[in-house]
Amino acid sequence: MAKPQKRYVCQSCGSVSHRWAGQCGDCSEWNTMVEDTAGANVTPFQAKHNLMGGGRSIQLVGLDAEITLPERMQSGIAELDRALGGGFVEGSATLIGGDPGIGKSTLLLQAAAKMAMTGLPVAYVSGEEAADQVRLRARRLGLGSAPVMLAAATSVRDILTTLSQATPPALLVIDSIQTMHSDLIEGAPGTVSQVRASAQELIRFAKERGTAVVLVGHVTKDGSIAGPRVLEHMVDTVLSFEGERSHQYRILRAIKNRFGGTDEIGVFAMVAEGLTEIANPSALFLTQREEGVTGTTVFPALEGTRPVLVEIQALVVRLASGATPRRAVVGWDSGRMAMILAVLEARCGLSFSACEVYLNIAGGYKVQDPAADLAVAAALVSALSERPVPVDAVAFGEIALSGEIRPVAHAPLRLKEAGKLGFERALLPSAITDDKSGLKLTGFRTLADFVGHMLGK
């Protein structure tokens, strides 16, 4: 049997030693080493690295414990609240990223001003622009009289010291986190260590004071948020502001949300007065046409609980023999289009090998819904055969490699939205038999049946 060994525990830092010493070797405090007889048979390595003592007890609760839902603060912008899951949560940290000039600062300035007008204390700290520049932008947006506390600073210590001297704000906007600097560590603003340290201090302030903090983040050339990846893990919500600066429309998408779903989007339009909300985005992404055009199909996409009708456009150009055809896709997955082309050739006898194929989602919209397979196939077949799809028809369904057309989720929502916008018929999988929308449904079991229908066979 091993001989019991004594151990000595520092009453100041909890350090453990197998022999007594007048001064603790870890915290350098004097006369704090006290004998602890509970540590029998403890080796020196175990004594130094044992974590089963010296800590404080934490409270453990069950999954069935009663909790109150977090209170939300309305931003005054319905589309922003939709993407957030209902509004800002007290003590939460939100990270919003997007391309330069997309409208991040404009959106947050509008939200901050509207919340301040309701009586909530709101602070807006800009690290990229002077306070006068932000003030001039607010005047252009018609928000110059909003009682927003405005500052231009980059030192996290100065910001938190100032905010701690009075009642903490309900909303704190930091524009942007890459310009913030913490004097706790060395390094220039924007480096990995500075971004992580600055964000950590701001998030700690949010949790302790109940302030909703919004951090604006730069993005890299591939669209991901610049800085350490751990930044996205530290915050509660990550929003992505998408869109092309040459297009009028912007889409706010939730990538991560601890207080709501990640399948909701907010749609905005950039106008002279700033960003305006789009309550019916389907009308934006559809081309107003009275007669059929070859190569175009309307697809009812679904973003969370919101159906959005978009137009899918295809162009097929026949090339001379021996030329290498090109494939170009905008707004959809190029690999999925290659799969659709392969199924059309292998299962339906349509050859695109001597043709250039171009596919575009109108309005700068990006589709990730697999239900768009049938609409893309309809646009490709229409462009190849020069037979237009009826202007009053929508199409959706997932295509398998076997050529089977599989049903998709939330078909009633898609059909209801199409009916509200005046469409009268739908091309869809035969397994879907919903008739509450009032549309004329034409179901297909395989892609070959669908192609035969379009070609009039």
Side-chain angles (χ1 to χ4, degrees):
M1 181 175 178
K3 181 180 179 181
Q5 295 181 357
K6 296 181 180 180
R7 69 174 186 174
Y8 298 87
V9 180
C10 175
Q11 302 302 300
S12 177
C13 68
S15 176
V16 179
S17 175
H18 68 282
R19 65 177 61 182
W20 183 88
Q23 184 183 27
C24 176
D26 290 335
C27 66
S28 301
E29 293 291 334
W30 289 91
N31 300 322
T32 57
M33 304 299 294
V34 177
E35 181 181 353
D36 183 6
T37 58
N41 299 329
V42 178
T43 65
F45 181 85
Q46 291 173 333
K48 192 173 184 61
H49 297 82
N50 184 23
L51 297 179
M52 292 187 296
R56 61 181 180 86
S57 300
I58 61 175
Q59 182 182 4
L60 301 177
V61 297
L63 290 175
D64 56 349
E66 294 292 335
I67 60 172
T68 58
L69 295 178
E71 297 184 4
R72 294 185 180 269
M73 299 177 292
Q74 302 296 321
S75 66
I77 303 177
E79 294 297 307
L80 175 59
D81 292 337
R82 174 191 288 269
L84 290 170
F88 290 105
V89 178
E90 296 181 0
S92 65
T94 302
L95 176 65
I96 178 171
D99 295 332
I102 203 69
K104 304 183 297 296
S105 301
T106 301
L107 175 64
L108 293 177
L109 183 59
Q110 289 180 261
K114 292 185 177 182
M115 293 180 65
M117 290 179 180
T118 62
L120 294 174
V122 177
Y124 189 103
V125 179
S126 176
E128 299 180 350
E129 299 176 289
D132 290 340
Q133 292 177 289
V134 180
R135 191 179 296 110
L136 288 175
R137 185 193 304 133
R139 290 179 180 176
R140 290 197 304 268
L141 300 175
L143 304 171
S145 60
V148 176
M149 296 179 289
L150 183 62
T154 57
S155 173
V156 176
R157 183 181 296 275
D158 295 345
I159 296 171
L160 298 184
T161 300
T162 303
L163 297 178
S164 300
Q165 293 175 352
T167 303
L171 176 69
L172 171 61
V173 179
I174 302 295
D175 186 8
S176 64
I177 187 61
Q178 275 79 11
T179 61
M180 294 295 111
H181 178 269
S182 174
D183 57 10
L184 296 178
I185 59 175
E186 297 181 357
T191 58
V192 171
S193 57
Q194 280 290 349
V195 170
R196 182 172 59 244
S198 300
Q200 178 63 39
E201 294 300 322
L202 291 167
I203 294 173
R204 181 184 303 172
F205 175 82
K207 303 300 181 183
E208 293 177 353
R209 300 302 181 94
T211 298
V213 174
V214 181
L215 308 176
V216 178
H218 296 169
V219 295
T220 59
K221 60 182 180 180
D222 61 351
S224 59
I225 296 178
R229 192 69 177 181
V230 70
L231 181 60
E232 298 185 29
H233 295 279
M234 294 166 61
V235 299
D236 301 309
T237 306
V238 180
L239 301 178
S240 176
F241 212 25
E242 304 172 356
E244 300 290 339
R245 283 192 290 178
S246 58
H247 287 84
Q248 182 184 10
Y249 314 118
R250 308 285 190 268
I251 295 176
L252 185 65
R253 191 187 305 274
I255 301 177
K256 168 189 174 182
N257 194 350
R258 290 174 178 164
F259 303 106
T262 57
D263 50 4
E264 295 289 353
I265 65 169
V267 184
F268 301 87
M270 179 64 78
V271 296
E273 296 79 15
L275 289 167
T276 60
E277 304 175 62
I278 304 299
N280 185 15
S282 297
L284 298 177
F285 302 111
L286 295 180
T287 303
Q288 303 298 327
R289 50 190 171 87
E290 298 181 356
E291 58 182 14
V293 179
T294 59
T296 61
T297 312
V298 176
F299 165 62
L302 200 65
E303 294 285 354
T305 59
R306 164 183 283 181
V308 180
L309 269 64
V310 296
E311 185 178 277
I312 297 178
Q313 304 168 348
L315 178 64
V316 176
V317 181
R318 291 179 174 84
L319 299 178
S321 177
T324 302
R326 183 184 178 188
R327 306 284 189 262
V329 182
V330 177
W332 204 49
D333 185 10
S334 58
R336 201 159 187 88
M337 189 190 75
M339 185 197 76
I340 300 299
L341 292 174
V343 175
L344 285 172
E345 183 163 353
R347 307 297 181 185
C348 306
L350 299 180
S351 177
F352 292 85
S353 58
C355 301
E356 287 188 342
V357 179
Y358 302 89
L359 188 72
N360 177 51
I361 309 298
Y365 193 82
K366 294 182 181 179
V367 175
Q368 300 176 345
D369 194 344
D373 290 352
L374 190 61
V376 171
L380 293 173
V381 174
S382 173
L384 181 67
S385 63
E386 298 184 356
R387 291 172 176 262
V389 178
V391 294
D392 61 347
V394 297
F396 62 91
E398 184 180 356
I399 297 177
L401 291 179
S402 61
E404 176 190 5
I405 301 179
R406 305 178 61 182
V408 295
H410 307 293
L413 280 177
R414 304 175 194 265
L415 295 173
K416 183 179 179 181
E417 180 70 11
K420 286 197 295 187
L421 292 180
F423 290 88
E424 299 179 356
R425 67 180 80 178
L427 310 176
L428 69 173
S430 58
I432 300 176
T433 58
D434 177 84
D435 57 355
K436 297 180 181 179
S437 60
L439 274 68
K440 179 182 178 182
L441 307 184
T442 305
F444 304 93
R445 190 179 62 85
T446 63
L447 187 58
D449 297 339
F450 176 74
V451 172
H453 173 80
M454 289 197 61
L455 300 180
K457 296 180 181 179

